[in-house]
Structures are given as C-alpha cells and as structure tokens.
Amino acid sequence: MAQFDLIVIGGGSGGVRAARIAASHGARVALVEEYRLGGTCVIRGCVPKKLMVYASRFAQEFEEAAGFGWTLEAPHFDWATLKTRRDAEVARLEGIYRANLLAAGVQILEGRAQLTGRNTVALFDGTQHQAAHILIATGAQPTPGPAIPGHELAIDSNGFFDLQALPRRVVVQGAGYIALELACVLHLLGAQVTVVVRGEQILRGFDDELRQHLAAEMARSGLQFRFGRHVQAIARDGHALQVQLDNGDTLAADCVLRALGRAPNTHGLGLETAGLALNAHGAIPVDAYSQTAVPGIYAVGDVTNRVNLTPMAIREGHAFADTVFGKTPRVVDHALVPTAVFTTPEAGVVGLTEEQALARYPRLDVYRTSFRPMKATLSGHPGKMLLKLLVDRDTDRVVGFHGVGPDTGEMAQLVGVALQLQATKAALDATLAVHPTAAEELVTMRTPAVRHNLSP
Ligand SMILES: Cc1cc2nc3c(=O)[nH]c(=O)nc-3n(C[C@H](O)[C@H](O)[C@H](O)COP(=O)(O)OP(=O)(O)OC[C@H]3O[C@@H](n4cnc5c(N)ncnc54)[C@H](O)[C@@H]3O)c2cc1C
C-alpha cells in the first residue's frame, strides 16, 4: 500500500491548487482524477463556455460594423471549426495542469477513487493508498431534474460541449447563469431558442433590478422566454423533438438543454466508511478551515456547496494547503464575491443586492444610470446598459455594484477591489473618470435615484 501525506480526490480547480501548494510545502502528495485534469472549469465549464461566448458575440459585432462604414460579405459560421479549435485549447490547458502537478512533485493517479476508511483510498483498479490527510475535491455535477417522460432525450451542460452541430431550434430549461449563458450562445450563433422558466424571473438570488433589466435585454435581442411554465414531457418526432409544456403548448425542437442546477459529487465516494455524513443539500459540511467532522479529512470546492465558483475552489484549496502543510492557518472570506454572468449582454456584480442591503442598511442610497453606450450611437444597437451602486448613507460605504452591458464582468473585478478596501462613495467621486468609457459612470453618478429611509 502506497503511503502519502496527502491524497487529493479530484483534479479540478480546488484539488489541483491544494495538491500543488501542499507539495510546495514539502508534503508527499497524490492526486486522483477519474476523467480529465482541470475539472469542470477547464474541461466543461468556464473556459470552453467563454470561448463559445466570444464566438457568439461576433454575430452582433458584424451587424454593428455596418454603422461604422464596414461592408461585409454575409458572414458564415462553422460549428465544427469552433468545436475543434475549442477542444484543442482545452486539451492544451489540460496538459499544462498535468505538467504543473508533475513539476510540483505530485503523483497523479488515474481512476475513480473511493474512501475505504479514515486514511485509506481505493482506486477502481483495486490499488489501495494511505495518507494522513485526505482532501475531497470532487466538485459537482448537473442535476437531472424531475424524471419527466422523455427526459433522457434532453442534454445537460456536459452534453452541450459535445454537440457536433448547431441545433436549429433549442428549448432551454432553467433560469440560472449556466442556462442563460448557453441559451445566449446558441441564440447568437443562429439557433431559435426558447427558455422555459419555472418562476417569474431569471437569476434567482441576484439583484431584482438587474434581473429585470437583463431579462428585458435578452428578450429584446430575440430570445424567447416562457415564464411560469414547466416542461411536462419530451417526445421524439422523427428527427426532431416535441416539448410539451404544462399549459398544453407544444414546442418543436432539435435539442432540449436542461440546466436545472448542480449537485455535489458525492455518489459512491464511500463517505460512510470514513464516518462522514452529508448536510441537507447533499454537500460535505466543513468548518472555516475546510475540515470535515472527521479528523484528517477535508473538503473544498463545489462538493461543499459554499460558493460554487472556480476562484473560490482555488482559494479554499490554497488555504487548506497553507493551513495543514504550511503552518499558516488561513480561512477564506465567502462574503465578498465579485462575479459575472456571461450572457449577452453580460452582467457583473459584487457585494449586496438592493434587497440584502436594505435589510442591513435602512438608510440606503441607490445610484443608478441606464444608457445606450457610445458605440451604439453609430452601430444603432438598441441595447441599454445598467450601472447601479448601493451606498450606506450612514457610513458612505459602497456596499453593492450591479451592472448589465458590455464589459460589466471586467468592471465587477475592479469594483470588487474597491469594495475590499471598503471604499466610500466619496472615494469614488474623488476618482478621476476615464473618458470616454462606460465605466466612468461609476465615478460620475452624483445624485441618488432612490433614497431609502426605512424606520428601524
Ligand atoms: C457550464 C459551466 C460554466 C461555468 N462557468 C463558470 C464561470 O464562468 N466562472 C466560475 O467561476 N465558475 C464557473 N463554473 C463553476 C466552476 O466550474 C466550478 O465552481 C469549479 O470547477 C469547482 O471546482 P472544484 O474543484 O470544486 O470541482 P471540479 O472542477 O468539478 O473538479 C472535480 C473533479 O473531481 C473529479 N472526480 C469526481 N469524483 C471523483 C472520484 N470519485 N474519483 C476521482 N475523481 C473524481 C471530477 O472528474 C472532476 O475533474 C461553471 C460551471 C459550469 C458547469
């Protein structure tokens, strides 16, 4: 039985970072991966998705170019070329992950791992490995959703990346960021897309005004929404599919994409043999140091269902390795999370929503501007941006930023720095504008659009 200081199960964002940093602190580390190194983000998440987003946005750029004097032959898009080039880039990144792990001295074990005790891990080839510490970083996977008739005819986000051709008509089920991002990609590349949403609005948990603005912009761009509807059944109809809604409507489709959320990847991990129980969300409960209830076993990333984003998994993995092997105990702040939604238009956010902010700061000022970006003056693009800042009047601190429109994801990163530094509105006002940009609005908004004054 091979002996290690640390066995990491899962070679995704969190696991790879933890393994490399632990090895750099001198630990003997093995990392087990059952599929491909890089995990969800690199293989079938953030990276290939963003490449598809870039591809899709050219459609709009070609149209807008005419207003600036360009004449283009009718542009033609070839899915197979994009897929081949995207897959090659993903394979290149996977190679870099492998090389970096090996360079750090991490032993890579290929196969599916299962706990067989507090300190032991078995691979499906029958080999057994022992370590003083085990890190579970197995991520999450798409939830199948309710088992409606014909559900097996639908694909999930993993299946999206395997599509061999652009489907002509697509029904997307779901209203989270993954459903919407993939819907926009397909729509801009030329598919006719209908998004079926169980509730009355997209992006639950985001700022209400951002949700409304983004949904309106997506609808204006030609994406069809069916709010308050369920998919009841999917049936084959020759080469096509028929999607039946709960109000009796039937939608013809060539592809049904179900993006109904993700669940922690714990099935068949043998957690019970180590004495580990799951919480109500099916995730592995951990403390601030990513330590589970069982001494020596830790968990980071999506499998813990804290903040399910790549930078958080990386940070948790790094903090774990520093704490356990680097003699530097570190906890991760899960409160301030800058993030982007790569729909078109995109959205960028950091800090509290207006609804959350009001619960904490009754004297809240809302600075808001909605405008057509300068490029639209000649391109004729009708889309409007939204930029919104939330300020606690008592301390003058900026407590939230919500943006919809080009580059708002990039803005969220930098506003995130300001919020991390506890910036006041006065500090933003004192910052000189970069002109002409859309972001300059963030330092030139003078008068609150709304002044909340809730009695305590
Ligand atoms: C379509 C999509 C788009 C996304 N876009 C973004 C984005 O734009 N920005 C962002 O920050 N996040 C995004 N995410 C989320 C991000 O991918 C995850 O939060 C991140 O990958 C979590 O990292 P992790 O290390 O916890 O798990 P993962 O990256 O999922 O890695 C887990 C690894 O464990 C392996 N594994 C599982 N079980 C076993 C086992 N028993 N034995 C061996 N190996 C095992 C898996 O094969 C996998 O490689 C996106 C996700 C999806 C699906």
Side-chain angles (χ1 to χ4, degrees):
M1 189 183 290
Q3 307 275 337
F4 298 95
D5 298 316
L6 170 68
I7 296 176
V8 177
I9 306 178
S13 307
V16 167
R17 175 61 68 98
R20 283 178 52 198
I21 300 301
S24 76
H25 289 311
R28 290 168 304 154
V29 183
L31 178 143
V32 196
E33 171 54 53
E34 66 168 336
Y35 182 53
R36 293 177 65 183
L37 288 171
T40 303
C41 177
V42 174
I43 307 297
R44 43 198 182 186
C46 335
V47 172
K49 171 200 78 186
K50 189 78 189 279
L51 295 174
M52 304 291 281
V53 169
Y54 283 130
S56 70
R57 287 183 182 168
F58 282 105
Q60 202 169 303
E61 296 274 317
F62 292 140
E63 274 181 26
E64 292 187 79
F68 290 88
W70 289 91
T71 308
L72 297 170
E73 301 290 317
H76 171 75
F77 168 70
D78 183 50
W79 180 277
T81 304
L82 172 63
K83 183 172 185 307
T84 304
R85 291 180 61 76
R86 184 201 74 199
D87 291 350
E89 172 59 9
V90 166
R92 187 184 74 84
L93 293 174
E94 186 186 0
I96 291 175
Y97 271 73
R98 180 178 297 277
N100 286 344
L101 282 168
L102 293 174
V106 175
Q107 184 167 339
I108 300 169
L109 304 172
E110 284 169 12
R112 185 166 172 75
Q114 192 178 29
L115 293 171
T116 47
R118 283 185 172 203
N119 301 107
T120 48
V121 168
L123 263 62
F124 273 33
D125 63 6
T127 53
Q128 296 269 351
H129 304 271
Q130 197 170 42
H133 302 89
I134 292 173
L135 177 70
I136 302 170
T138 50
Q141 57 189 340
T143 45
I148 53 169
H151 64 91
E152 71 284 355
L153 299 171
I155 60 168
D156 57 24
S157 64
N158 293 343
F160 168 85
F161 294 109
D162 293 334
L163 283 173
Q164 298 297 323
L166 174 67
R168 202 163 55 83
R169 298 160 304 177
V170 185
V171 171
V172 175
Q173 229 189 316
Y177 81 94
I178 294 175
L180 299 174
E181 290 174 342
L182 303 187
C184 284
V185 165
L186 292 164
H187 169 59
L188 284 178
L189 290 178
Q192 184 189 314
V193 180
T194 306
V195 185
V196 180
V197 180
R198 201 180 45 181
E200 294 302 330
Q201 192 48 278
I202 58 170
L203 287 179
R204 190 156 46 91
F206 282 69
D207 182 88
D208 274 347
E209 201 173 358
L210 176 145
R211 299 166 79 195
Q212 283 164 26
H213 188 98
L214 182 58
E217 285 297 325
M218 288 169 68
R220 194 199 41 68
S221 78
L223 209 69
Q224 305 276 325
F225 281 101
R226 294 295 193 99
F227 286 107
R229 293 271 76 92
H230 294 260
V231 171
Q232 276 196 325
I234 307 167
R236 204 173 271 296
D237 180 16
H239 290 302
L241 301 170
Q242 292 286 345
V243 181
Q244 201 191 320
L245 303 187
D246 57 337
N247 63 346
D249 286 0
T250 301
L251 306 174
D254 303 299
C255 171
V256 178
L257 169 60
R258 298 184 97 193
L260 299 169
R262 293 174 63 76
N265 212 350
T266 57
H267 184 71
L269 258 181
L271 298 178
E272 56 297 335
T273 63
L276 269 174
L278 301 177
N279 67 18
H281 303 284
I284 299 179
V286 288
D287 69 10
Y289 294 97
S290 297
Q291 159 86 62
T292 70
V294 176
I297 304 186
Y298 296 76
V300 295
D302 285 8
V303 76
T304 63
N305 194 33
R306 286 176 281 180
V307 173
N308 298 328
L309 291 169
T310 284
M312 197 56 93
I314 291 174
R315 189 156 283 197
E316 289 166 3
H318 200 132
F320 151 79
D322 282 349
T323 302
V324 177
F325 298 102
K327 301 189 184 73
T328 318
R330 285 210 293 126
V331 295
V332 173
D333 176 13
H334 290 89
L336 192 63
V337 181
T339 191
V341 179
F342 293 105
T343 43
T344 301
E346 74 186 33
V349 307
V350 57
L352 303 175
T353 66
E354 185 172 342
E355 299 71 37
Q356 291 166 338
L358 265 177
R360 277 193 224 177
Y361 309 109
R363 288 159 41 80
L364 187 76
D365 283 347
V366 180
Y367 292 82
R368 176 203 306 134
T369 175
S370 180
F371 58 97
R372 287 178 74 207
M374 187 180 184
K375 191 176 173 190
T377 55
L378 295 198
S379 75
H381 193 280
K384 275 189 157 184
M385 287 187 76
L386 170 73
L387 295 179
K388 174 171 170 180
L389 288 173
L390 304 172
V391 178
D392 170 30
R393 202 155 56 245
D394 289 336
T395 59
D396 197 40
R397 268 189 52 201
V398 182
V399 295
F401 159 71
H402 305 275
V404 176
D407 303 321
T408 48
E410 306 284 340
M411 290 181 204
Q413 183 66 86
L414 297 179
V415 178
V417 176
L419 264 61
Q420 192 69 45
L421 293 169
Q422 310 205 329
T424 57
K425 178 69 169 61
L428 293 198
D429 293 344
T431 306
L432 201 63
V434 179
H435 183 71
T437 62
E440 69 183 298
E441 298 288 334
L442 294 172
V443 297
T444 55
M445 284 190 269
R446 292 280 174 258
T447 315
V450 182
R451 307 205 86 187
H452 291 287
N453 218 347
L454 298 186
S455 42

